[in-house]
Amino acid sequence: RVEDVQGRACLTNFHGMDFTTDKVRSLVRKWQTLIEAHVDVKTTDSYVLRLFAIAFTKKRPNQVKKTAYAQSSQIRAIRKKMVEIMTREASTVDLKELVQKFIPESIGKEIEKACHGIYPLTNVYVRKVKMLKLPKFDLSKLMEMHGDISEDTGAKVARPAESAPADKPAESEVA
């Protein structure tokens, strides 16, 4: 979402994220349990976000059984752990640092590690983030987030010597 325009630069702010439908569909398979959790968190710079996580069970090593279904008590324990980790990771940082955590999927890896003792998980992701409340708009904070903005005019591209100007047709096209 564009917050401010400075010259030719549009200053944007994080407004949420979501997995594409085809990505979510590619994760869902038969013979495994899908576990979802969501939590509302407030960052240190007073943004209120709703995080949605998704995880799937996987077969244990040397498992013979075809299915990898978790019991409902295991699902509840995993969901509780997911909510706890998402809350801890998001409420101790500001929005900029939180977005940096979404990019390498560090929260998903943390959940996967923590829940391994309950039931092995695979494809653990924060699949969606919604902005619920934003603090009052502050231009200085936005400028701080974007760092130094210099006027970028681009580099001049050299034209090859043998090419003809665009408005005049080449000799071979006229004949």
Side-chain angles (χ1 to χ4, degrees):
R1 190 169 92 190
V2 176
E3 298 285 346
D4 191 37
V5 178
Q6 299 213 329
R8 295 184 65 184
C10 292
L11 304 181
T12 60
N13 203 352
F14 181 76
H15 192 251
M17 71 165 209
D18 199 355
F19 269 15
T20 55
T21 310
D22 63 307
K23 174 65 175 172
V24 177
R25 301 288 185 272
S26 72
L27 297 173
V28 178
R29 286 199 294 284
K30 288 170 78 173
W31 320 120
Q32 64 184 7
T33 305
L34 181 151
I35 304 164
E36 286 186 303
H38 60 87
V39 64
D40 294 356
V41 289
K42 188 173 190 175
T43 61
T44 55
D45 50 354
S46 67
Y47 283 88
V48 180
L49 307 166
R50 183 169 291 151
L51 305 177
F52 296 84
I54 191 167
F56 298 90
T57 57
K58 71 173 179 183
K59 286 183 175 182
R60 295 179 188 274
N62 69 35
Q63 178 176 324
V64 178
K65 189 169 64 170
K66 179 182 179 182
T67 62
Y69 296 139
Q71 296 174 344
S72 57
S73 60
Q74 290 170 322
I75 294 170
R76 281 195 304 273
I78 290 170
R79 195 173 287 127
K80 184 178 178 185
K81 196 76 100 176
M82 289 167 92
V83 167
E84 175 194 310
I85 291 168
M86 285 192 293
T87 305
R88 182 185 72 226
E89 294 288 323
S91 61
T92 56
V93 295
D94 65 338
L95 184 69
K96 187 176 182 180
E97 291 172 30
L98 185 61
V99 172
Q100 292 303 316
K101 285 184 178 184
F102 293 149
I103 295 166
E105 278 302 333
S106 63
I107 297 174
K109 289 178 184 130
E110 187 85 23
I111 292 169
E112 193 172 332
K113 257 188 273 171
C115 294
H116 188 74
I118 303 167
Y119 204 99
L121 298 177
T122 185
N123 294 332
V124 184
Y125 300 106
V126 175
R127 70 167 180 87
K128 188 175 184 179
V129 180
K130 280 185 181 178
M131 284 286 216
L132 299 180
K133 280 187 185 168
L134 292 89
K136 197 169 168 215
F137 177 71
D138 185 8
L139 184 62
S140 61
K141 275 193 176 178
L142 188 67
M143 293 300 291
E144 181 185 302
M145 195 179 292
H146 281 274
D148 183 36
I149 298 174
S150 59
E151 189 66 33
D152 183 27
T153 56
K156 198 162 185 114
V157 179
R159 220 180 215 181
E162 69 267 4
S163 68
D167 54 306
K168 295 181 183 175
E171 300 281 327
S172 60
E173 291 176 19
V174 177

